[in-house]
Amino acid sequence: MDRIPVAGPWITQKEIDYVADAARNAWYERAGEYPRRFEQAFAEYVGTKHAVALPSCTSAIHLSLMALGVGPGDEVIVPDVTWIATAAPISYVGATPVFADVDPKTWCLDAASFERCITARTRAVIPVDLYGNMPDMDAIRGVAAAHRIEVIEDAAEAVGSEIAGRRAGSFGTTGVFSFHGSKTLTTGEGGMLLTDREDLHRRVLFLRDHGRAPGDKAFFNTEVAHKYKMSALQAALGLAQLERIDELLERKRAIFEWYRESLAGVDGITVNHEAPGTRNTYWMVTVIVPGWRKEDLIRLLGERGVACRPFFYPLSSLPAYARLDEARRAAARNRVSYEISPSGINLPSALRLTREQVAQVCDALKGILARPAP
Ligand SMILES: *Cc1c(COP(=O)(O)O)cnc(C)c1O
């Protein structure tokens, strides 16, 4: 039996044509054309002045922190439940991550918990648009502004999501995206950094190219920095995907609707929330099943040919942070993260799923939940 995949892209002839054109023509004087077009189109889509195409979202967060001057002795607040890529770059720059709790409905950073985590050392906060949903950005931005804390919006999972018509990625001093193969819009591997600020844009261009600004004296580097660039082939793929963004997002929302209808009668479970005024793009359809362990659900669904993922483990519970005192404190304090994460799973949400496959997943899940949890 073929496994029903948990994540994956939707590639058409358009993407293949753009990449083929890049392979043939994106050299010599046309080498920079596709990255430039992708950056311009992406900035316009999100609604920011500048966009810089990068090899990953991880590098976009790293460069955001560097450009903002975050370093040793500083603290950066992140939600406790997110992919580790949100937090890892905080360690790259020698700063300390602080793990705030999430909201029980949106599963995104809770503004009150964020505020309680602020100390004299706090320099930045990285709210995450988890699984395509959005946190209460008004509240988070209000707290950040009152304490002079920079906001880096991790919109890796939320291309096209909106609050009151304003797009994900435009709510922070910088906004960052991922185009990993599992994400809604993909370049295989890739990322983007967005900002309205001229100075940060210039600094990011400098830091991502071995410490030299575009147009500087050749091979005469003024700082030791990084090499974080996106290739023309990746940018061609990204541009084609961006030109199909409405179709990609409609499909994501349709997949969620198929699940919602099919799971409506199942008692006690919770699926992704969409607050009034918010447009959730449902990167991953997710269910919380109280009383069940996610590892058991994933195993039993796996036996029925359904690939699922665990809801992110709280970062403060990971071996990666075992030696960090803050992780112990966060584990004792972040009640919501520790309540929802153990019984949450991501259901198959690949863009090529059929309605029949979604029905199969729901039948398998209902069959499992009809018996007591192991
Ligand atoms: C995927 C993801 C990232 C990292 O993206 P990469 O492109 O793999 O570096 C960062 N944050 C979140 C929330 C993600 O889901």
Side-chain angles (χ1 to χ4, degrees), residues 55-59 61 82-83 85-86 128 154 156-157 177-180 183 189-190 283 312:
S56 65
C57 181
T58 305
S59 57
I61 297 170
T82 178
W83 175 227
T86 305
V128 177
D154 183 346
E157 303 177 359
F177 286 89
S178 171
F179 309 129
H180 178 260
K183 299 287 164 45
E189 295 279 0
W283 172 56
F312 292 121

Side-chain angles (χ1 to χ4, degrees), residues 80-85 87-88 99 294 311-324 327-328 331 338 341:
D80 206 347
V81 279
T82 178
W83 175 227
I84 194 170
F99 308 110
K294 58 188 168 190
F311 200 105
F312 292 121
Y313 290 87
L315 295 176
S316 60
S317 73
L318 295 179
Y321 290 113
R323 291 198 316 220
L324 193 70
R328 268 189 298 280
Y338 280 81
S341 167

Side-chain angles (χ1 to χ4, degrees), residues 31-99:
E33 211 172 87
Y34 273 111
R36 243 187 337 267
R37 283 176 64 193
F38 185 35
E39 286 171 348
Q40 275 168 12
F42 204 85
E44 193 173 315
Y45 178 73
V46 173
T48 58
K49 284 208 186 99
H50 306 288
V52 182
L54 297 167
S56 65
C57 181
T58 305
S59 57
I61 297 170
H62 188 190
L63 291 179
S64 295
L65 293 167
M66 286 186 78
L68 290 167
V70 177
D74 295 335
E75 292 173 356
V76 178
I77 296 170
V78 295
D80 206 347
V81 279
T82 178
W83 175 227
I84 194 170
T86 305
I90 300 166
S91 301
Y92 303 170
V93 299
T96 303
V98 173
F99 308 110

